[in-house]
Amino acid sequence: MTADGIHAHDGRPYDIFISYSRVDAERALQVRDLLIARGHRVFFDAEGIDAGAEFPDVIDRAVKGAKVVLGCWTPAAIQRRWVRIESRIGLDRGSLVAIGLEKMNPEELPAEFYNVNVLDVSTFDGNADHPAWQRVLGAIDRRLKKGGPALPDAAEEIRPTEPRKRRFSPLALGGAAALAIAAVAGGGWYAAGGGTTFDQTAVESSLDKTVKATEPVMANALVSALNDIETDNNGKTFWALAQLTAVERTLTADEFKRFDAAAAKFLGGACHCVVVDDAPFTIVSVWTLTAYGAVDRAPPTPVIEALLAAQNREGWWSSAMDAADRPDNAATYVTALTVIALRDIDGTLAGNPALQAKVAAARSRAVEWLKRRRPKAGANWADYPDNSLRTDAPSISAMATIALLPEVNEAEAKEIAAGYVAGIDQLSPVDQSVSNDIIVTRAGGKTYVDAYRHVPLGWEVHALAKSYAFLSGEAAAKAARLLDEAKAIRLSDPKLARQDWMLAEQFLGLRGARDALAPPAKPKR
C-alpha cells in the first residue's frame, strides 16, 4: 500500500484525500499532480483496494484525518464499494468535495448522497486554467479555510430537474417538513441563596407543545412510508417505516396490518433480518422490535430469535448481525438500543413465557456488559469501546443511560445519572448528526462500515429528563440548566427541513423527555 505524490508522512493530516475507482486512475493521477504542483499534501492510494479486501488502516486514518475528501465520481465509480465508503466518510465529516469526471445523472446517485452537489468536470482537459478546474479549486479552498460548505457555481450544480420522491431513512433522506411550533411557555431555572429551583412543569409543558405540534407531521410521514413500501423492495425503505412506526405509535388497525405485512416481506427470509449495504444490519431488527412494542403487539418470533442469536456471549451486539467474535466489534449504541427494544416488547410476550424468559436473559447479559463498560466519572461513554477508533460522546452516554436506568437499583441509578450529567456541558445543535464509520469485521472475513447516523440532541434531552430524579446538588443544578435550555428547541428549524429522519428521531427524544418530566398520573377511582 503506497501513497504516491507525497513525502514520508510526518503525522500531520493530509490536505486532500483523493477517492477514485481504479479504472479512472489516469484522470485521477492528473488531478493529483495538479494539486501537488499547487503545494497541497495529497494522499493518493496508488495500488487500490481489491474487491472483498479489508479497509487498510493507513487509508482509514488518512481519509478520516484529511481536511478534504475529493471524490472523483463517475456513474460507475460511485457504485464501487470503497469509493462510496470513502465519500461517505467525507460527507459525514463535512470534508467531501465531489467532482463528476463524467456527466452524472443526479437521479442515479446513491440515496446517501441525495443532497451532495457534484461539480461537473467532464469537459476538463487537464489545463490548470480550465473554468471547471478553477471551480474545483475554489471548493477545495473553502474547505481548507473552513469558510463554510463547498458550494459549486450555480450553473455547474448537478441537481434533479424534477422533485424526488420523499424517503424517510436514518441514512440519507430527502423531502421537506415545515412546522409551526406554538410559542413556548414561560418559567425556568434559577439559583438563589445557594438553592436550586427548577420549574419542571414549565419545561414539561414546553416540550409537550413542541411534541403535539409535530405529531401531524409524523402521522403524515407514516402514511407516506406505508404507501412507499408497497412498491419498494429497498431494505432502507422498510428501516424507515419501522422507525416511523416506533415514533408514531398510534397506528390504526389497517396501518398496523400493512406494517405487519411489510415486516413479513422484508424479514421473512432465511436470516429474518434486513440487509443494508450487503450486510445484515442489526439496528433494523432493533427498530422493528421497537415498532411492535410501541403498538403493544408481539413481534414475529423468528425476528426476535435471530436478534438473540446475533448477541455475543459477553452480552454485546454489533452493527452487523454476523459480526466476528472480536471485542473491537462490540457497539455500545447497538447494545443500548437493543436493551431498550427488548424491554419495550417484554409485556407483549406474556403469551410465550419461554421466549419471554430468553429475551429477559439476553437483556440481562447486555445490561451487565454495558455496566462493565461504564467510564470513569466525568468521562463520556465510548462507542465500540474496545476499538482503537472509538468515539466518546454525550449521545452514546445518553443512549446507555436511558438503557440502564430502569435496569439497576437506585444506588447504581444515581451513579449512572450523575456520571452522564458530568460528561455533558451543552446540548448538541438541533440539526447535528454524526457517524463513527467504524469498520466491522464479519464472521466470513468481509468488512462492513458502520455508517449509522446518530442524532444526539433528542437522546441528550431524554437522558437528562430520565436522570433528573436521581440527581442532587451541583449535578441536579446542571441538569436543570440544560433542561431549561431545551425549552428553546424548535423542530421547525429550517435546517431540519430536508432531513425528515432527523426530525423523527428528535421528536422521539423530546417526547420521551416530556413523559419523564410529566407528573405521575392520578389513580382512577
Side-chain angles (χ1 to χ4, degrees):
M1 187 62 59
T2 59
D4 282 2
I6 59 170
H7 300 295
H9 189 41
D10 58 8
R12 289 186 293 147
Y14 292 95
D15 292 329
I16 302 166
F17 178 103
I18 297 180
S19 175
Y20 70 101
S21 174
R22 206 180 304 189
V23 297
D24 302 316
E26 184 176 347
R27 284 177 290 179
L29 281 166
Q30 186 179 56
V31 168
R32 179 205 66 179
D33 291 344
L34 286 171
L35 292 172
I36 292 172
R38 200 169 182 246
H40 294 300
R41 296 165 57 82
V42 178
F43 185 96
F44 184 93
D45 168 32
E47 296 178 2
I49 310 174
D50 293 327
E54 291 194 25
F55 202 57
D57 287 344
V58 63
I59 293 182
D60 183 79
R61 290 192 297 271
V63 69
K64 291 180 179 177
K67 300 173 185 176
V68 174
V69 174
L70 184 63
C72 297
W73 292 1
T74 66
I78 196 56
Q79 302 301 328
R80 301 287 294 178
R81 182 185 182 200
W82 297 115
V83 172
R84 287 179 65 171
I85 289 172
E86 292 161 356
S87 296
R88 180 56 187 266
I89 291 172
L91 179 63
D92 290 345
R93 282 159 170 70
S95 61
L96 177 64
V97 173
I99 62 175
L101 300 178
E102 299 175 6
K103 286 287 186 182
M104 303 284 290
N105 181 352
E107 294 296 337
E108 295 176 357
L109 289 176
E112 63 251 56
F113 301 118
Y114 176 87
N115 288 326
V116 172
N117 294 318
V118 187
L119 288 168
D120 184 3
V121 296
S122 59
T123 62
F124 176 48
D125 57 6
N127 187 331
D129 294 326
H130 193 283
W133 180 245
Q134 289 301 308
R135 281 188 286 271
V136 172
L137 295 180
I140 289 173
D141 287 346
R142 286 193 290 275
R143 285 283 192 254
L144 293 176
K145 294 175 182 177
K146 299 181 179 179
L151 299 175
D153 183 274
E156 295 297 322
E157 293 182 69
I158 295 179
R159 289 189 180 278
T161 56
E162 298 292 338
R164 295 191 182 194
K165 195 172 185 179
R166 293 178 66 179
R167 285 290 184 271
F168 301 86
S169 168
L171 287 178
L173 300 167
L179 295 175
I181 305 299
V184 178
W189 168 92
Y190 63 92
T196 301
T197 300
F198 173 46
D199 193 343
Q200 183 169 326
T201 301
V203 176
E204 185 267 334
S205 176
S206 174
L207 293 173
D208 183 60
K209 289 180 179 179
T210 299
V211 167
K212 287 181 177 176
T214 314
E215 284 173 350
V217 177
M218 295 295 96
N220 288 336
L222 176 63
V223 171
S224 177
L226 284 168
N227 291 336
D228 287 346
I229 207 69
E230 293 179 355
T231 57
D232 197 324
N233 293 315
N234 190 327
K236 292 179 182 177
T237 305
F238 174 77
W239 175 4
L241 174 61
Q243 184 171 356
L244 283 167
T245 303
V247 169
E248 172 56 20
R249 81 179 181 190
T250 56
L251 276 66
T252 65
D254 179 66
E255 287 171 341
F256 174 74
K257 183 178 179 180
R258 294 169 68 190
F259 168 72
D260 195 43
K265 170 184 172 181
F266 281 89
L267 293 104
C271 76
H272 299 292
C273 64
V274 172
V275 174
V276 174
D277 294 335
D278 299 322
F281 201 27
T282 314
I283 209 67
V284 183
S285 296
V286 173
W287 277 115
T288 301
L289 266 57
T290 303
Y292 277 95
V295 295
D296 199 27
R297 302 292 187 96
T301 297
V303 177
I304 300 174
E305 295 278 14
L307 183 63
L308 299 186
Q311 184 182 30
N312 183 272
R313 61 182 181 275
E314 292 186 20
W316 51 263
W317 277 272
S318 188
S319 58
M321 292 180 70
D322 61 351
D325 184 7
R326 292 171 35 163
D328 59 343
N329 284 334
T332 302
Y333 89 91
V334 181
T335 304
L337 292 186
T338 307
V339 167
I340 296 170
L342 295 182
R343 185 165 63 233
D344 287 346
I345 66 169
D346 179 72
T348 72
L349 302 178
N352 189 342
L355 181 59
Q356 189 178 40
K358 288 180 65 175
V359 167
R363 193 173 96 216
S364 178
R365 285 192 298 273
V367 166
E368 291 305 313
W369 182 83
L370 287 170
K371 287 166 64 175
R372 291 196 300 272
R373 291 301 184 277
R374 274 179 56 191
K376 62 182 180 180
N380 280 309
W381 290 67
D383 204 6
Y384 290 90
D386 297 314
N387 192 301
S388 62
L389 300 176
R390 63 185 176 272
T391 300
D392 304 339
S395 58
I396 305 302
S397 300
M399 293 177 187
T401 298
I402 294 168
L404 287 179
L405 285 179
E407 305 284 348
V408 300
N409 61 42
E410 185 176 358
E412 287 180 292
K414 289 180 177 180
E415 292 179 1
I416 291 168
Y420 168 63
V421 173
I424 181 171
D425 294 319
Q426 60 185 12
L427 298 177
S428 296
V430 70
D431 63 319
Q432 183 180 82
S433 65
V434 295
S435 174
N436 291 334
D437 300 309
I438 294 291
I439 299 169
V440 173
T441 302
R442 297 164 62 188
K446 293 183 179 180
T447 56
Y448 176 74
V449 177
D450 182 0
Y452 186 84
R453 301 200 59 77
H454 301 284
V455 186
L457 178 63
W459 291 102
E460 293 168 356
V461 177
H462 189 181
L464 285 166
K466 285 278 192 181
S467 297
Y468 186 74
F470 298 101
L471 301 172
S472 60
E474 293 182 3
K478 184 179 183 183
R481 173 180 61 80
L482 292 169
L483 285 168
D484 193 63
E485 292 176 5
K487 292 192 302 181
I489 295 172
R490 298 291 189 276
L491 294 185
S492 58
D493 191 302
K495 295 176 182 177
L496 292 177
R498 297 183 68 185
Q499 302 291 337
D500 299 301
W501 64 279
M502 292 175 64
L503 177 64
E505 201 154 335
Q506 304 294 34
F507 171 79
L508 182 67
L510 296 188
R511 186 178 65 191
R514 177 205 65 182
D515 294 346
L517 294 174
K522 295 181 179 179
K524 295 181 179 180
R525 293 185 178 182

